[in-house]
Amino acid sequence: MTQATTYTLSQLNDLPAAQFVQVLGGIYEHSPWVAERAAALRPFDSLAALAAAMRDAVDDAGEAAQLKLVRAHPELAGKAAVRGELTAESTREQAGAGLDQCSAEEFERLQALNAGYNQKFGFPFILAVRGYDRAGIIEQFARRIENDPATELQTCINQIHRIAQFRLDDLVSG
């Protein structure tokens, strides 16, 4: 999926299942199974119906699959970003929030928060960063690290749904 390519809902509905999955497989980070489940429910009469089908696939998948989905996401300003290993979507999203422009102090703070969060929860901190700046991201991180594991897992799933909606909105025109 490239930033310049957009599809109409009609085009997505008409794609062969394998191509539908190829186009939408990155909506949920490294989790094409979400698009596979949605493909079986076509045609969709609205973008909202497509988004709901994908959201339901995740919500109905069970905790083990949800944990795998959360763990498929990169840390914010983490090792994968430093090594240039993020997906194109994650790179755009993190850069849009200014995470590629962190000061040394902000970068150290994010690294410490990533380490503490991963130690406590066993998965990376997930935030739909669109609309946040670095200070807001750090504030959310510091606040949410105080959550209990069940609350935080559900919060991450909700944030992943927000990320997916942003990605769908960027991909589907008309």
Side-chain angles (χ1 to χ4, degrees):
M1 181 168 99
T2 63
Q3 180 69 14
T5 303
T6 59
Y7 295 84
T8 65
L9 187 60
S10 177
Q11 287 171 317
L12 291 174
N13 281 330
D14 291 341
L15 290 174
Q19 194 173 357
F20 179 90
V21 172
Q22 182 181 5
V23 169
L24 295 177
I27 297 297
Y28 283 84
E29 191 90 5
H30 298 296
S31 300
W33 61 268
V34 178
E36 287 171 2
R37 291 183 185 181
L41 302 173
R42 292 181 297 162
F44 297 104
D45 61 1
S46 67
L47 181 59
L50 171 58
M54 295 182 88
R55 190 173 45 252
D56 290 347
V58 171
D59 291 345
D60 295 342
E63 187 174 316
Q66 290 173 349
L67 279 168
K68 187 174 180 182
L69 172 64
V70 171
R71 290 178 179 137
H73 284 73
E75 292 179 335
L76 294 178
K79 295 174 189 92
V82 171
R83 292 190 304 256
E85 297 173 355
L86 298 179
T87 63
E89 294 88 354
S90 288
T91 298
R92 278 193 299 277
E93 291 157 0
Q94 290 198 27
L99 290 174
D100 60 339
Q101 303 294 319
C102 285
S103 69
E105 294 80 20
E106 289 168 328
F107 185 75
E108 283 182 32
R109 177 76 171 130
L110 284 166
Q111 294 306 300
L113 286 165
N114 277 323
Y117 187 97
N118 268 304
Q119 182 176 4
K120 180 174 181 176
F121 298 112
F123 50 81
F125 173 79
I126 307 294
L127 179 68
V129 296
R130 194 175 290 188
Y132 284 93
D133 61 10
R134 292 184 305 274
I137 291 167
I138 291 170
E139 184 276 324
Q140 286 290 313
F141 217 141
R143 182 183 59 75
R144 284 180 39 200
I145 203 166
E146 300 302 320
N147 284 342
D148 65 88
T151 298
E152 194 53 26
L153 176 60
Q154 187 57 58
T155 301
C156 285
I157 294 297
N158 292 340
Q159 289 296 308
I160 288 169
H161 289 319
R162 288 194 67 212
I163 293 165
Q165 186 65 60
F166 288 140
R167 290 177 179 183
L168 274 174
D169 291 344
D170 290 344
L171 179 72
V172 181
S173 64

